[in-house]
Amino acid sequence: MNKLKLKNFSAGLDRGASLRFEWCWFFIRAAFFLVPIPLPSRIRVIWLRYFGAKIGQGVIIRSGVNISFPWRLSVGDHVWIGEDVSILSLAPVTIESNCCISQRAFLCTGSHRFDKPGFDLVTKPIVIKESSWVAAQVFVAPGVTIGPNSMCVAGSVVLKDVAPNTTVIGNPATEKKLEARS
């Protein structure tokens, strides 16, 4: 295996904003997002909009939510983002309306090519379609689309797209057949 040359760790990363703007976000994130104080969601929504996020109506954002670059985030109406959710938005992240992103979920748009000497950065967008639920501690990999009306069961590792009206579970996440309720 080739030795990693980590000096080019983030080479090719388009940050999407000036360094000054990013530093301003860093301080706002520390003061209003990463604190354990249950601030009203409207305060977080106002800050996200100020920093370029597209946020719909009725969005709840709990404490501890970590969003790297809000200018790459789009959230529909009536979305719940639970405590300690991490959104690594090196590429666009879209969460459509009526979705729930539960506690400690991780939406990760970036990875690295460990097979390349430069450990090249790879970024791909994530899309969570209408009326879907990403349950607690789910990892969603770069480039994944979760279809509408779908659920990713708690603790799952979602490495590929999830079809509409589907429940996935496990590591790696696979489709779970739901039994009919009587």
Side-chain angles (χ1 to χ4, degrees), residues 13-29 51 67-72 90:
L13 172 62
D14 173 13
R15 303 184 84 76
S18 71
L19 189 57
R20 183 177 186 187
F21 194 68
E22 187 177 345
W23 272 98
C24 289
W25 167 245
F26 176 81
F27 288 110
I28 293 301
R29 180 175 61 182
F51 280 91
I67 301 165
S68 55
F69 300 139
W71 43 92
R72 291 194 175 125
L90 301 176

Side-chain angles (χ1 to χ4, degrees), residues 121-144:
L121 177 66
V122 177
T123 63
K124 296 179 184 176
I126 290 174
V127 178
I128 312 295
K129 295 287 193 173
E130 176 99 16
S131 301
S132 290
W133 180 18
V134 175
Q137 296 187 343
V138 168
F139 174 84
V140 179
V144 168

